[in-house]
């Protein structure tokens, strides 16, 4: 490390400092909204609407959180979202890993065609109405399965996983294992999976975040308040703080409703982003490694 | 080594997760297949079989079921146990089931159109706010069924037919093809018809020894004094003479619409795409393409060049606007605001106390109007083609028009939340008691608005609350604090009648409506962005002729022609 430092010339130093400044600027731009939301969530509703909150909580108050946790809908939504994320991500990762491994085996007949079909879905899809009809005819409407099964494999993630396996698990390893009488399934379970920790972490994060934030599917397929996921509940509450004069019966009364929403808006956002924020640090180191390996050697 | 342990752990976690998924999945799929079987039978089997099924259900509860799709309001606790729901279920002898749609109206609309186009079995009733064009489209496609026969039959719909406002509602709900596919929420409240109310800082006027301006020129003088003489006394020249907020984000806060009405009547784009009637009461004109409009722009442009008019009113949203109004000390001199809710704490806001309502100003030509529009009911409650018991759906729809039910949809439970009993009303002061001498006939005992409640569906259903109902309402006066009533009646006095003959809400045929939608959208955007450009001086007023030419290119004359045809058709009737 020290040796490296010495070699850094002045032009490099300039380059690094400029990059540093730019990255810090970007970092602050991304960081500020998060800090603001957290500060606002601990401030009183009046201070927030009056625009007094900048960096630190003003007129410290926990009212927002109290209201959020007393709201049964938020709790149901939270539980549902956890369930959908857990089940959904498990299905996603299992299917993606299986497909990715199969697609690294060149002796698989028609491998190119299969791969083409997968990539095809990255650019084209049937559209909302056919999807909706499909889900309905599979009797998945208004069930958890409508949340976790459609889009179980994401072609982009599949390619990352496949490239990772291709570049990290040499063909020779499989041949050697085969010599010792190891079958395909055993090889996948005992050798491929344990060696793919990094990419699995990446998949878990990608899929997990997507499942956690999934709003559109929930909006389309769920009709029952007991089954609503958190983003739906979140949107419901946030939407009531906005007034669109053209669609509202009674704007003046609507304005009064809006005031309630302002109090809990930020607390709700914090609650909604907390789980992901908590998981992220544990996965992050694999995350960078996994994506990098996939991209460089692919 | 460490890495390997972690990977093993992760894969183990994954496998366990998988098993757990299967386990709970087993239970769940059992439930869900039950549920979907149920809906499925209802959905796909023919009428013979499905009529058997409700009969079985009915045998258990003794009631028929009606499914209602409704956008969920986050402030309604539970639609199933709601007081209004229970009331309907009991009195109409029906079991209501709800299919909740997304809260955001645009999402709810896309979901409805998806349900309709996927050929899925639709709920019996759709209860959401749709535009007349949308209703017509669904009606023509056969998704919604006509209700004409029921509504014209006084026996089928007794409450609807005994309403005082029946004609007004009928006019609004009859589609261009002559059919009626919808019921309506009819609740005209005159306070809402003139939202562009202007408030002036009375405290500052007093301090500078000025009187309330009555003409546009006087306003200018007053604003100059506001901007230069430090009326808030903090030693800093931070006063903003005139401000406001964008019309798309706020309600009645766009000050230019108020000012423009001192030059020519303009309804503030609240109805008929901003079109108005000429003085002869026969010709439809576009106020935004007249010389008077230009004069208004010139006046506002002058205000802007002299630094009196805050150009941020063209960009400020509700949050920023509230922050500005709440500044301490007050820095706003004159502002257009629909209701005091834009000040934090509303009526009790310290800054708000400084303001007084200002009458429409007289322009150089003596014009002084307020941005008024004719009330048009909101369309709610459509019966779909998959409804098996239309008579029952109609019965429930009609039930909303019973007076006490209508009041329940807005105020909650009778006797608990509101009362028409004289013993209660005599204790209260009517909202318009001072202005019009109308005594209180509706006492509010427990306000069920602006909180999470389980008494009504937040007014999102058909109902009939006439102007009289509104005017004889409780002013919610507590002790000597009658500001709510006073402000409303002042607004009524100053603004309600300050307009020429109004262009009624035009009803177009389907074909016309489609063309107009395209033209009007372009023109409206262009007019409002040009207004901002002219006022802020980004575009010189010498460019006025180009503005007119551009409007013509956007087919303004075609828009006017169609509006004229529609108006003539309506006045012939």
């Amino acid at each position: 490390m020290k040796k490296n430092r010495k070699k850094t010339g002045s032009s490099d130093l300039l380059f690094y400092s400029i990059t540093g400044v730019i990255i810090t600027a970007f970092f602050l731009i991304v960081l500020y909204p998060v800090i603001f939301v957290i500060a606002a969530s601990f401030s009183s509703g009046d201070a927030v609407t009056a625009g007094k909150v900048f960096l630190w909580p003003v007129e410290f108050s926990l009212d927002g959180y109290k209201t959020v946790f007393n709201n049964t809908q938020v709790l149901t939504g939270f539980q549902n979202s956890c369930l959908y994320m857990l089940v959904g991500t498990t299905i996603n990762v299992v299917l993606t890993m299986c497909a990715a491994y199969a697609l690294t085996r060149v002796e698989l007949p028609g491998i190119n065609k299969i791969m083409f079909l997968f990539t095809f879905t990255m650019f084209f899809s049937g559209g909302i109405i056919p999807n909706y009809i499909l889900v309905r005819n599979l009797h998945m409407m208004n069930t958890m399965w409508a949340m976790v099964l459609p889009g179980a494999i994401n072609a982009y993630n599949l390619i990352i996983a496949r490239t990772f396996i291709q570049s990290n698990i040499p063909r020779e390893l499989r041949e050697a294992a085969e010599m010792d009488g190891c079958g395909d399934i055993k090889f996948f379970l005992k050798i491929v999976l344990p060696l793919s920790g990094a990419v699995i972490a990446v998949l878990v994060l990608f899929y997990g975040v997507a499942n956690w934030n999934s709003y559109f599917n929930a909006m389309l397929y769920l009709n029952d308040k007991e089954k609503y996921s958190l983003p739906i509940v979140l949107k419901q509450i946030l939407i009531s703080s906005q007034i669109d004069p053209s669609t509202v019966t009674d704007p003046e009364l609507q304005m009064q409703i809006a005031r309630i929403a302002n109090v809990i808006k930020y607390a709700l956002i914090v609650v909604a982003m907390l789980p992901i924020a908590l998981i992220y640090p544990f996965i992050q180191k694999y995350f960078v490694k996994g994506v990098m390996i996939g991209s460089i050697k692919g | 080594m460490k890495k390997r342990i972690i990977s093993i752990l992760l894969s183990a976690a994954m496998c366990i997760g998988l098993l757990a998924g299967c386990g709970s999945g087993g239970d769940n799929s059992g439930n869900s297949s039950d549920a979907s079987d149920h809906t499925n039978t209802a959905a796909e089997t023919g009428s013979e079989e499905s009529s058997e099924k409700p009969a079985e259900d009915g045998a258990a509860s003794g009631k028929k079921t009606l499914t209602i799709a409704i956008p969920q309001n986050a402030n309604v606790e539970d639609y199933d146990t709601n007081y209004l729901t229970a009331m309907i279920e009991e009195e109409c002898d029906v079991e209501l089931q709800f299919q909740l749609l997304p809260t955001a109206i645009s999402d709810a609309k896309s979901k409805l159109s998806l349900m309709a186009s996927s050929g899925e079995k639709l709920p019996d009733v759709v209860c959401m706010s749709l535009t007349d064009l949308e209703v017509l489209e669904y009606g023509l496609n056969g998704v919604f069924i006509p209700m004409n026969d029921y509504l014209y039959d006084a026996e089928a719909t007794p409450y609807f037919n005994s309403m005082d406002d029946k004609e007004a509602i009928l006019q609004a709900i009859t589609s261009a093809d002559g059919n009626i596919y919808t019921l309506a929420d009819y609740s005209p409240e005159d306070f809402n018809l003139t939202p562009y109310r202007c408030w002036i800082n009375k405290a500052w006027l007093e301090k500078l020894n000025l009187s309330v301006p009555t003409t546009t020129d006087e306003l200018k003088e007053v604003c100059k004094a506001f901007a230069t003489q430090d009326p808030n006394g903090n030693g800093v020249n931070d006063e903003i003479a005139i401000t406001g907020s964008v019309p798309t984000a706020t309600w009645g806060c766009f000050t230019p619409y108020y000012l423009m009405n001192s030059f020519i009547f303009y309804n503030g784009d609240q109805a008929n795409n901003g079109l108005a009637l000429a003085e002869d009461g026969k010709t439809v004109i576009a106020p935004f393409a007249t010389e008077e409009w230009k004069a208004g722009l010139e006046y506002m442009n002058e205000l802007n060049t002299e630094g009196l008019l805050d150009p941020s009113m063209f960009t400020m949203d509700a949050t920023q606007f509230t922050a500005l109004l709440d500044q301490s000390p007050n820095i706003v001199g004159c502002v257009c605001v629909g209701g005091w809710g834009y000040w934090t704490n509303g009526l009790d806001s310290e800054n708000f106390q400084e303001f007084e309502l200002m009458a429409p100003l007289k322009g150089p030509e003596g014009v002084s109007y307020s941005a008024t529009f004719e009330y048009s009911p909101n369309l709610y409650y459509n019966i779909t083609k998959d409804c098996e018991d239309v008579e029952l759906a109609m019965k429930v729809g009609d039930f909303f028009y019973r007076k006490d039910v209508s009041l329940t949809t807005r105020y909650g439970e009778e006797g608990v939340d509101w009362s028409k009993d004289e013993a209660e009303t005599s204790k209260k002061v009517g909202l318009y008691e001072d202005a019009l001498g109308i005594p209180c006939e509706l006492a509010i005992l427990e306000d069920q608005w602006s909180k999470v409640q389980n008494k009504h569906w937040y007014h999102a259903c058909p109902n009939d609350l006439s102007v009289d109902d509104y005017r004889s309402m409780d002013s919610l006066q507590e002790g000597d604090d009658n500001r709510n009533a006073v402000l409303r009646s002042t607004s009524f006095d100053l603004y309600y009648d300050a307009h020429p003959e109004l262009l009624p809400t035009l009803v177009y045929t389907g074909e016309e409506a489609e063309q107009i939608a395209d033209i009007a959208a372009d023109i409206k955007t262009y007019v409002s962005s040009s207004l901002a450009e002219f006022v802020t001086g980004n575009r010189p007023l010498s460019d006025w002729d180009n503005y007119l030419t551009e409007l013509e290119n956007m087919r303004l004359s075609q828009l006017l022609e169609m509006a004229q045809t529609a108006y003539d058709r309506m006045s012939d009737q």
Side-chain angles (χ1 to χ4, degrees):
Chain A
M1 216 34 212
K2 265 192 179 166
K3 232 181 179 181
N4 268 345
R5 273 274 165 82
K6 269 184 189 165
K7 275 185 191 164
T8 329
S10 62
S11 68
D12 277 352
L13 195 70
L14 189 70
F15 174 77
Y16 280 124
S17 43
I18 291 179
T19 336
V21 168
I22 294 177
I23 291 177
T24 316
F26 273 113
F27 171 68
L28 289 177
I29 291 174
V30 177
L31 184 72
Y32 179 67
V34 181
I35 293 188
F36 175 79
V37 166
I38 294 175
S41 73
F42 286 108
S43 305
S44 78
D46 287 353
V48 176
T49 34
K52 286 182 198 151
V53 180
F54 180 65
L55 265 186
W56 304 111
V58 178
E59 298 169 26
F60 185 87
S61 118
L62 288 173
D63 284 356
Y65 288 98
K66 275 183 204 151
T67 327
V68 165
F69 287 113
N70 282 331
N71 186 328
T72 48
Q73 258 202 60
V74 173
L75 291 180
T76 341
F78 197 87
Q79 281 167 5
N80 285 337
S81 267
C82 287
L83 179 71
Y84 299 156
M85 180 168 76
L86 206 73
V87 178
T89 311
T90 312
I91 294 176
N92 294 145
V93 173
V94 170
L95 291 183
T96 308
M97 281 312 287
C98 294
Y101 171 63
L103 286 171
T104 57
R105 299 282 302 269
V106 276
E107 55 274 46
L108 182 74
I111 183 169
N112 286 330
K113 280 179 197 142
I114 297 177
M115 203 52 217
F116 171 76
L117 287 178
F118 272 116
T119 8
F120 189 79
T121 62
M122 285 174 76
F123 307 103
F124 303 97
S125 75
I128 302 177
I129 297 180
N131 267 336
Y132 187 85
I133 298 180
L134 177 70
V135 170
R136 179 173 55 96
N137 289 350
L138 290 173
H139 304 313
M140 297 197 299
M141 282 305 284
N142 207 13
T143 67
M144 175 177 79
W145 304 111
M147 292 297 297
V148 297
L149 287 181
I153 293 182
N154 174 311
Y156 174 76
N157 291 343
L158 175 69
I159 292 173
I160 291 184
R162 188 190 70 148
T163 320
F164 180 92
I165 298 175
Q166 244 168 10
S167 48
N168 278 327
I169 298 160
R171 218 187 135 97
E172 290 74 22
L173 193 59
R174 197 180 65 77
E175 279 162 6
E178 222 165 52
M179 279 311 187
D180 293 336
C182 175
D184 276 325
I185 294 176
K186 201 167 183 188
F187 178 71
F188 177 63
L189 291 177
K190 297 261 161 147
I191 297 173
V192 175
L193 281 186
L195 287 178
S196 310
V199 81
I200 288 175
V202 171
L203 293 179
V204 166
L205 190 72
F206 274 175
Y207 282 123
V209 171
N211 284 328
W212 183 256
N213 290 332
S214 154
Y215 168 75
F216 197 66
N217 278 359
M219 180 204 105
L220 289 182
Y221 304 134
L222 301 180
N223 301 325
D224 200 343
K225 167 164 116 169
E226 302 304 314
K227 299 194 177 91
Y228 276 175
S229 62
L230 196 59
I232 295 261
V233 180
L234 190 69
K235 176 132 190 202
Q236 258 173 19
I237 295 177
L238 294 186
I239 204 91
S240 61
S241 70
Q242 291 167 355
I243 307 169
D244 177 359
S246 59
T247 59
V248 155
T249 326
D250 195 336
E252 203 216 339
L253 292 167
Q254 198 62 31
M255 235 157 54
Q256 297 178 11
I257 300 182
R259 269 199 248 132
I260 330 175
N262 270 334
V263 181
I264 76 168
K265 184 157 86 181
Y266 294 105
L268 199 50
I269 296 177
V270 172
V271 171
M273 66 185 189
L274 207 60
I276 297 293
L278 286 182
I279 297 173
Y280 189 75
F282 297 101
I283 300 190
Q284 199 245 5
K285 58 176 175 178
Y286 295 99
F287 179 66
V288 178
K289 200 164 39 175
V291 180
M292 289 297 286
I293 290 168
S295 60
I296 291 170
K297 295 188 183 164
Chain B
M1 188 58 202
K2 200 179 158 199
K3 184 181 148 195
R4 205 168 131 201
I5 291 175
I6 290 178
S7 2
I8 291 170
L9 275 178
L10 269 173
S11 19
M14 200 184 75
C15 293
I16 291 168
L18 178 64
L19 290 176
C22 288
S24 67
D27 290 350
N28 253 335
S29 66
N31 287 339
S32 64
S33 69
D34 268 356
S36 55
D37 276 347
H38 194 81
T39 44
N40 193 32
T41 10
E44 279 164 20
T45 47
S47 53
E48 313 108 80
E49 263 185 83
S50 51
S51 62
E52 252 174 46
K53 191 107 193 175
E56 269 173 47
D57 285 353
S61 65
K63 283 179 178 178
K64 285 183 181 168
T65 318
L66 199 66
T67 325
I68 297 183
I70 191 167
Q72 189 188 5
N73 187 315
N75 294 319
V76 174
E77 225 168 75
D78 186 350
Y79 283 88
D80 293 319
T81 60
N82 194 280
Y83 175 76
L84 179 62
T85 311
M87 185 171 177
I88 297 169
E89 286 182 338
E90 194 185 320
E91 303 217 21
C92 295
D93 194 28
V94 64
E95 169 85 29
L96 295 186
Q97 272 179 5
F98 291 92
Q99 183 175 347
L100 297 178
L101 298 175
T103 312
I105 191 76
S106 52
D107 286 350
K109 282 181 180 173
S110 16
K111 188 159 179 179
L112 177 66
S113 78
L114 201 52
M115 282 156 60
S117 48
S118 77
E120 168 183 353
K121 176 175 153 125
L122 296 165
D124 299 322
V125 170
V126 174
C127 189
M128 63 189 278
S129 176
L130 295 170
T131 66
D132 48 356
L133 195 57
E134 286 159 348
V135 168
L136 177 65
E137 239 176 65
Y138 281 123
L140 292 176
N141 295 339
V143 175
F144 294 162
I145 57 169
M147 309 174 177
N148 313 22
D149 297 346
Y150 295 92
L151 290 179
Y152 287 121
D153 177 1
E155 274 177 32
T157 52
Y159 301 121
F160 181 85
N161 279 287
S162 61
M163 249 183 334
D164 294 336
D165 308 306
K166 185 182 155 192
E167 288 309 315
I169 299 188
L170 266 182
Q171 199 195 1
I173 61 180
T174 308
S175 283
D177 67 344
N179 278 328
I180 300 174
Y181 301 106
T182 183
L183 297 179
D185 144 42
Y186 182 81
S187 44
E189 300 188 359
D190 42 39
F191 191 68
N192 289 342
L193 303 182
T194 58
Y196 290 96
R197 275 174 277 272
C198 197
W199 308 78
I200 192 151
N201 197 315
K202 181 83 176 162
W204 290 8
L205 285 176
E206 277 165 13
K207 191 162 179 189
L208 303 177
N209 216 0
L210 296 164
S211 54
V212 180
T214 55
T215 67
T216 44
D217 288 337
E218 283 175 32
L219 177 73
K220 201 164 155 189
E221 292 312 311
V222 165
C223 286
K224 269 186 201 161
F226 280 177
T228 51
Q229 300 180 17
D230 187 31
N232 68 5
N234 62 351
V236 189
N237 194 8
D238 56 355
E239 286 83 358
I240 299 174
I242 305 175
T243 189
S245 173
V246 287
T248 43
T250 50
W251 179 62
C253 299
F254 194 56
T255 317
Y257 289 164
Y258 167 80
L259 294 172
M260 193 53 91
N261 270 287
S262 302
F263 295 85
I264 188 168
F265 174 72
Y266 180 58
N267 67 14
D269 193 20
Q270 300 179 91
N272 294 323
N273 305 312
L275 301 182
L277 269 186
E279 276 170 29
D280 62 3
K282 284 180 198 144
T283 328
V284 180
I285 56 159
F288 44 84
T290 59
E291 282 304 307
E292 289 89 344
W293 187 271
K294 191 183 170 192
L297 293 177
E298 266 166 22
Y299 172 71
M300 285 185 252
N301 180 244
E302 275 168 40
L303 291 178
N304 182 59
T305 15
E306 297 189 28
L308 307 176
L309 186 133
D310 174 18
S312 64
M313 70 169 71
F314 297 105
T315 50
M316 214 167 8
D317 67 15
T319 322
Q320 296 163 315
F321 186 52
T322 297
L324 182 74
L325 293 178
D326 282 347
Q327 292 270 337
S328 175
N330 201 354
I331 57 164
V332 176
C334 175
V335 64
C336 209
V337 172
W340 34 92
Y342 285 104
W343 280 273
T344 306
N345 295 334
L347 275 180
D348 297 322
S349 153
E350 223 169 276
N351 282 0
F352 179 68
Q353 310 304 326
E354 297 186 351
F355 285 93
E356 186 183 77
L357 208 51
M358 186 164 65
L361 296 170
K362 255 200 186 66
E365 307 294 324
V367 173
S368 100
Y369 292 134
S370 72
T372 319
F373 65 105
E374 196 192 54
Y375 175 75
S376 67
N378 297 286
L379 308 181
Y380 277 99
Y381 205 86
N382 318 91
I383 303 181
T384 70
K385 62 178 191 315
D386 292 326
C387 177
E388 274 153 20
D389 197 340
V390 181
E391 216 164 293
L392 182 69
M394 230 29 250
K395 187 178 167 191
V396 172
D398 183 51
F399 182 67
F400 286 110
Y401 287 112
R402 204 173 82 184
K403 195 91 242 173
D404 63 312
V405 184
S406 282
L407 287 168
T408 299
T409 64
R410 168 71 175 77
Y411 300 108
E413 188 175 350
E414 183 172 12
V416 178
D417 302 318
W418 59 272
S419 163
K420 290 207 140 205
D421 191 354
E422 238 194 299
E424 292 291 345
T425 55
S426 57
K427 282 189 241 162
K428 307 274 187 170
V429 182
L431 199 52
Y432 282 76
E433 192 146 344
D434 298 334
L436 302 172
I438 302 173
C440 173
E441 284 174 22
L442 177 76
I444 305 297
L445 309 175
E446 173 77 45
D447 195 5
Q448 291 294 348
W449 197 266
S450 59
K451 62 176 177 188
V452 181
Q453 50 77 36
N454 210 12
K455 295 292 176 99
H456 52 63
W457 307 345
Y458 264 100
H459 213 194
C461 54
N463 61 75
D464 164 43
L465 296 170
S466 62
V467 180
D468 293 338
D469 287 322
Y470 168 69
R471 290 188 183 163
S472 61
M473 198 186 114
D474 190 344
S475 63
L476 295 175
Q477 174 172 336
E478 284 169 26
D480 292 335
D481 178 12
N482 61 350
R483 286 174 300 170
N484 184 16
V486 168
L487 286 170
R488 277 166 196 265
S489 33
T490 318
S491 165
F492 178 83
D493 286 343
L494 298 178
Y495 288 83
Y496 190 67
D497 288 323
H499 58 78
E501 192 183 335
L502 290 179
L503 183 63
T505 311
L506 299 174
V507 179
Y508 296 107
T509 64
E511 214 175 293
E512 286 170 345
E514 256 169 56
Q515 288 187 33
I516 282 187
D518 288 345
I519 304 178
D522 285 350
I523 290 186
K524 283 157 80 166
T525 328
Y526 184 65
V527 166
S528 65
S529 65
S530 303
L531 178 101
E533 284 170 3
F534 281 128
V535 172
T536 52
N538 287 344
R539 189 172 171 184
L541 271 157
S542 53
D543 209 27
W544 176 254
D545 287 335
N546 283 337
Y547 166 76
L548 291 182
T549 327
E550 188 57 31
L551 279 178
E552 215 31 67
N553 291 341
M554 293 176 157
R555 294 180 291 167
L556 174 62
S557 50
Q558 204 182 332
L559 178 75
L560 280 169
E561 208 174 288
M562 282 189 284
Q564 186 73 54
T565 320
Y567 178 62
D568 291 343
R569 194 169 47 217
M570 286 169 75
S571 34
D572 284 348
Q573 276 169 8

